[in-house]
């Protein structure tokens, strides 16, 4: 039987595609075209037996798995079952979750034969070619290859490739993509060496050619994917490269790039150049998302984790981006970093919240294999889970109770602010009560408890009841804000029971709006209508097109006194 291999990856969700096995397949096509390989994708929520059946189809002689934080547990289990089904198959792992701890993985998992650490576009073809020829791969000087010689584990430093790699965007990849999120890299490596991150260990930054980047952009934008996510570690580290790509997108958007496609970039907010601002300002609404890692505003913390950031410039630049109003701006904080206690983290939270970004993510430190914060225990003392995702459990500055409290803060932040369902409500309550944002979301999170099974109506009722207990909050004005939030973000046009008030004036308002040509509903378009008793207004929403940045529909207001009596 001819030699063939299966290149596999288990995704976190169906909406995510796997780029890694397709990169390996492109490498095999370029450097070992005589070999036959097949890409197999699955998800961690899929029955393992179904994924196993697809992998075993055709009885591959070798199987590789791309390993990440979110799939390593399922991958190791699947590999063990694979060995039972195909005991003669060679099983190899790669990816960031095994590249910096290869010896431990091999010692603890006899079902794994080899690990290929680092970049694999050249090493995997060389490895498979050895297997096909019946030679021992460990004798072939393959970069990044780790394995066993008897009882001894042989390690090799992660492979770093110096230049371009073959493009993975083949017809087979595009067919498998099926409209899911597409991932695009136009560079590798990172100029930073943050102690909590692995990107700085992936070699010095090197940028692929712009002509290739332009071709790949057009290919993915026309693949059916609605989101093209650039996975360059710091997209704007090379301003010339970044600006050329932004200018290309701007020039072709709505023509060669279909309207509605969104491009997502991870950037360093404090090194943005004026030309980049000018290009971003001209982008169509919803065409671009920016993710900006702040991590903290505590200078001592940033210094400790080797994060070079001008926080003053960062804040000014984020405000400028937010004020443009045409992009989704995502910023994030990490809880559990050195020298950040509850009080300094609360300060960072409030400073981040005041920037008005589309999303403020409250994440928790993960102690990744290969990251300095995991390896340098004397410098970075903390307790963390020994199983994925290796989340921090306590630090000298944050106790277990503190971190548990921050999880409640995160839950409230996600459901109220980041969901974009209660933006007016939060703004009103914060102004009326005078509370700090951190205090408000923490108190709400504590009051809410476990919300995992709570639906939107139930959570709306909880928020309504909780906010009425806060000093300075007027229940009537609170309801006004919540009604506006609910109508503008939920296309059912229906209010939950806690906000619904029976009032014959509402029927009069609906008739009056219908009789006025300027406010009459369009045929076939659903409409939501409600009365605001504090503002003495009738508000209505026609559910036609949602703003991709605010995730809301346009809310129209008419003074109640202006309603016709007919």
């Amino acid at each position: 039987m001819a030699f063939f291999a299966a290149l596999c990856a288990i995704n976190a969700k169906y909406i995510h595609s796997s780029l890694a096995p397709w990169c390996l397949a492109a490498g095999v096509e370029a450097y070992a075209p005589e070999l036959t390989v097949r890409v197999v994708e699955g998800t961690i929520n899929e029955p393992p037996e179904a994924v196993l059946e697809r992998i075993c189809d055709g009885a591959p002689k070798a199987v590789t798995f791309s390993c990440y934080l979110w799939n390593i547990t399922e991958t190791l289990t699947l590999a063990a079952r694979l060995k039972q089904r195909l005991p003669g198959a060679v099983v190899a792992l790669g990816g960031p979750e095994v590249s910096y701890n290869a010896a431990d993985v091999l010692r603890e998992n006899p079902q794994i034969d080899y690990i290929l650490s680092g970049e694999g576009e050249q090493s995997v073809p060389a490895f498979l070619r050895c297997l096909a020829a019946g030679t021992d791969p460990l004798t072939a000087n393959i970069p990044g290859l780790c394995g066993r010689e008897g009882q001894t584990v042989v390690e090799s430093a992660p492979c770093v490739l110096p230049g371009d790699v073959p493009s993975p965007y083949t017809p087979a990849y595009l067919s498998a993509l099926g409209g899911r999120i597409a991932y695009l890299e136009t560079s590798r490596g990172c100029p930073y060496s943050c102690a909590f991150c692995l990107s700085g260990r992936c070699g010095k930054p090197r940028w692929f050619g712009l002509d290739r980047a332009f071709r790949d952009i057009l290919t993915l934008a026309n693949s059916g994917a609605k989101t093209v996510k650039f996975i360059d570690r710091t997209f704007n580290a090379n301003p010339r490269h970044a600006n050329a790509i932004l200018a290309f997108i701007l020039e072709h958007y709505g023509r060669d790039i279909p309207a509605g496609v969104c491009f997502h970039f991870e950037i360093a907010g404090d090194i943005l150049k004026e030309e980049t601002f000018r290009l971003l300002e001209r982008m169509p609404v919803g065409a671009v998302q920016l993710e900006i890692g702040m991590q903290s505003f505590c200078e001592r913390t940033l210094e400790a984790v080797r994060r070079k950031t001008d926080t003053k410039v960062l804040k000014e630049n984020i405000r400028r981006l937010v004020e443009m109003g045409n992009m989704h701006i995502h910023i994030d904080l990490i809880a559990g970093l050195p020298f950040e206690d509850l009080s300094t983290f609360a300060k960072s939270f409030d400073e981040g919240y005041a920037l008005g970004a589309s999303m403020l993510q409250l994440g928790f430190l993960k102690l990744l294999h290969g990251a300095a914060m995991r390896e340098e225990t004397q410098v970075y003392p903390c307790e963390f889970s020994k199983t994925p995702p290796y989340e921090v459990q306590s630090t000298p500055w944050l106790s277990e109770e503190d971190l548990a409290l921050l999880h409640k803060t995160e839950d409230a932040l996600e459901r109220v602010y980041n969901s974009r369902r209660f933006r007016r409500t939060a703004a009103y309550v914060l102004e009326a009560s005078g509370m700090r944002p951190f205090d408000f979301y923490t108190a709400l999170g504590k009051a809410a408890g476990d919300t995992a099974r709570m639906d939107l109506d139930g959570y709306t009722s909880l928020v309504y009841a909780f906010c009425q207990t806060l000093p300075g909050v007027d229940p009537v004005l609170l309801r006004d804000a919540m009604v506006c939030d609910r109508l503008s973000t939920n296309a059912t046009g229906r209010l939950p029971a806690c906000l619904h008030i029976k009032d014959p004036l509402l029927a009069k308002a609906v008739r009056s709006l219908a009789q006025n040509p300027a406010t009459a509903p369009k045929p076939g378009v659903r409409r939501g209508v409600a009365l605001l008793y504090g503002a003495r207004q009738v508000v209505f929403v026609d559910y036609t097109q949602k703003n991709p940045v605010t995730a809301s529909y346009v809310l129209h207001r008419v003074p109640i006194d202006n309603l016709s009596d007919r």
Side-chain angles (χ1 to χ4, degrees):
M1 182 182 295
F3 179 92
F4 98 93
L7 311 176
C8 310
I10 310 301
N11 303 320
K13 297 179 181 178
Y14 174 75
I15 62 169
H16 300 298
S17 60
S18 291
L19 188 59
W22 295 100
C23 290
L24 301 181
V28 172
E29 176 64 27
Y31 302 116
E34 75 278 10
L35 302 180
T36 301
V37 296
R38 175 168 49 87
V39 172
V40 179
E41 292 187 67
T43 75
I44 59 175
N45 298 315
E46 192 175 358
E49 194 62 34
V51 182
L52 185 62
E53 286 298 324
R54 294 201 298 276
I55 295 173
C56 292
D57 184 27
K61 299 294 180 64
V63 180
T64 68
F65 290 94
S66 298
C67 301
Y68 300 90
L69 190 69
W70 60 84
N71 72 5
I72 185 62
T73 300
E74 290 78 8
T75 296
L76 291 173
T77 300
L78 194 60
R81 297 178 67 174
L82 172 64
K83 273 292 193 181
Q84 294 173 352
R85 286 279 297 274
L86 298 176
V90 173
V91 177
L93 306 183
E97 184 57 20
V98 297
S99 287
Y100 303 97
N101 58 329
D104 290 340
V105 175
L106 288 169
R107 277 193 288 265
E108 297 167 8
N109 296 277
Q111 75 272 32
I112 307 304
D113 299 303
Y114 298 94
I115 287 174
L116 288 140
S117 62
E119 299 172 55
E121 282 91 346
Q122 293 182 17
S123 57
V124 167
F127 169 72
L128 295 178
R129 182 174 273 165
C130 285
L131 295 181
T135 60
D136 182 358
L138 289 175
T139 66
N141 196 29
I142 299 172
L145 181 63
C146 309
R148 302 182 186 87
E149 288 183 346
Q151 299 300 311
T152 303
V153 172
V154 178
E155 286 191 275
S156 179
C159 175
V160 176
L161 299 175
D164 279 11
V165 294
S167 173
Y169 306 118
T170 61
Y173 167 82
L174 297 174
S175 175
L177 185 60
R180 293 178 292 167
I181 296 173
Y183 295 93
L184 172 60
E185 60 179 350
T186 67
S187 67
R188 286 187 180 173
C190 183
Y192 300 104
S193 300
C194 302
F196 51 81
C197 184
L198 293 179
S199 296
R201 296 196 62 171
C202 299
K204 294 181 179 180
R206 59 266 191 216
W207 288 268
F208 302 158
L210 284 171
D211 287 342
R212 167 184 168 160
F214 297 157
R215 288 194 303 271
D216 289 345
I217 288 169
L218 293 179
T219 296
L220 295 180
N222 288 279
S223 69
K226 294 301 182 183
T227 300
V228 178
K229 187 168 184 177
F230 282 68
I231 54 176
D232 303 58
R233 273 65 170 184
T234 305
F235 175 71
N236 61 324
N238 181 340
R240 179 180 171 277
H241 180 88
N243 290 340
I245 288 174
L246 293 175
F248 180 84
I249 292 172
L250 188 58
E251 178 185 354
H252 292 269
Y253 202 85
R255 301 181 343 185
D256 304 320
I257 297 175
V261 174
C262 180
F263 296 92
H264 180 109
F265 304 95
E266 295 185 26
I267 67 169
D270 61 325
I271 62 171
L272 285 166
K273 302 299 183 183
E274 189 59 34
E275 183 183 351
T276 310
F277 278 114
R278 289 197 295 267
L279 289 166
L280 292 172
E281 193 170 29
R282 294 169 55 201
M283 287 291 177
V285 174
V288 167
Q289 295 180 356
L290 298 180
E291 183 172 344
I292 305 171
M294 302 181 308
Q295 284 75 53
S296 172
F297 284 114
C298 177
E299 298 290 348
R300 190 179 182 190
T301 294
L302 293 173
E303 181 180 357
V305 298
R306 305 163 192 169
R307 176 76 177 187
K308 297 178 181 178
T309 304
D310 187 324
T311 56
K312 180 180 178 182
V313 172
L314 175 63
K315 286 188 278 190
E316 291 172 353
N317 287 351
I318 291 174
R319 288 193 189 96
R320 184 173 175 183
L321 293 170
V322 170
E323 287 170 1
M324 291 179 187
N326 60 337
M327 296 174 290
H328 176 99
I329 308 298
H330 174 127
I331 60 180
D332 56 60
L333 297 169
I334 299 178
L337 295 177
F339 303 110
E340 190 136 72
D341 58 18
L342 207 54
S343 121
T344 56
F345 185 82
K347 184 174 182 293
S348 287
F349 183 101
D350 290 342
E351 289 185 53
Y353 191 89
L355 299 175
S358 308
M359 177 175 288
L360 172 61
Q361 180 181 348
L362 196 173
F364 293 82
L365 176 66
K366 310 294 190 296
L367 279 296
L368 307 175
H369 288 291
M373 289 199 68
R374 183 173 182 131
E375 295 185 342
E376 300 175 28
T377 56
Q378 297 300 315
V379 180
Y380 303 105
C382 67
E383 296 295 324
F384 62 95
S385 170
K386 299 307 184 283
T387 58
Y390 317 118
E391 186 172 300
V392 64
Q393 296 174 328
S394 68
T395 75
W397 305 274
L398 286 173
S399 66
E400 289 186 28
E401 293 74 20
D402 291 336
L403 286 162
L405 182 65
L406 289 176
H407 274 287
K408 295 183 183 299
T409 309
E410 178 208 18
D411 182 72
L413 181 70
E414 286 297 315
R415 299 203 63 156
V416 171
Y417 187 82
N418 290 340
S419 71
R420 293 174 284 186
R421 293 184 182 276
F422 299 95
R423 288 292 182 89
R424 293 177 180 85
T425 302
Y428 166 71
V429 170
L430 288 172
E431 181 179 5
S433 68
M435 294 180 74
R436 295 172 54 189
F438 178 82
D439 292 340
F440 166 68
Y441 286 103
T442 301
L444 175 58
K446 289 171 63 177
D450 184 3
T451 64
R453 298 179 181 275
M454 193 176 295
D455 63 13
L456 178 58
D457 283 4
Y459 195 76
T460 302
S461 179
L462 184 152
V463 171
Y464 187 45
F466 170 77
C467 290
Q468 289 184 68
T469 68
L470 300 178
V473 172
D474 182 329
V476 176
L477 296 180
L478 172 65
R479 179 188 175 276
D480 280 3
M482 298 194 75
V483 165
C484 291
D485 276 333
R486 184 59 181 251
L487 285 186
S488 63
T489 61
N490 189 289
T492 64
R494 180 187 62 82
L495 293 179
C498 65
L499 300 177
H500 182 71
I501 296 177
K502 291 185 178 180
D503 188 336
L505 182 58
L506 181 60
K508 174 186 173 183
V510 171
R511 290 194 303 271
S512 178
L513 293 173
Q515 291 164 2
N516 185 337
T519 58
K522 295 179 177 63
V525 175
R526 181 183 288 115
R527 169 175 281 191
V529 184
L531 297 173
L532 305 184
Y533 293 97
R536 289 198 51 77
Q537 294 173 337
V538 55
V539 291
F540 68 95
V541 178
D542 291 327
Y543 299 106
T544 51
Q545 188 170 356
K546 183 183 286 188
N547 184 302
V549 174
T550 64
S552 64
Y553 299 90
V554 176
L555 186 80
H556 303 274
R557 299 170 180 264
V558 177
I560 288 177
D561 295 340
N562 289 4
L563 296 176
S564 168
D565 290 331
R566 286 179 296 174

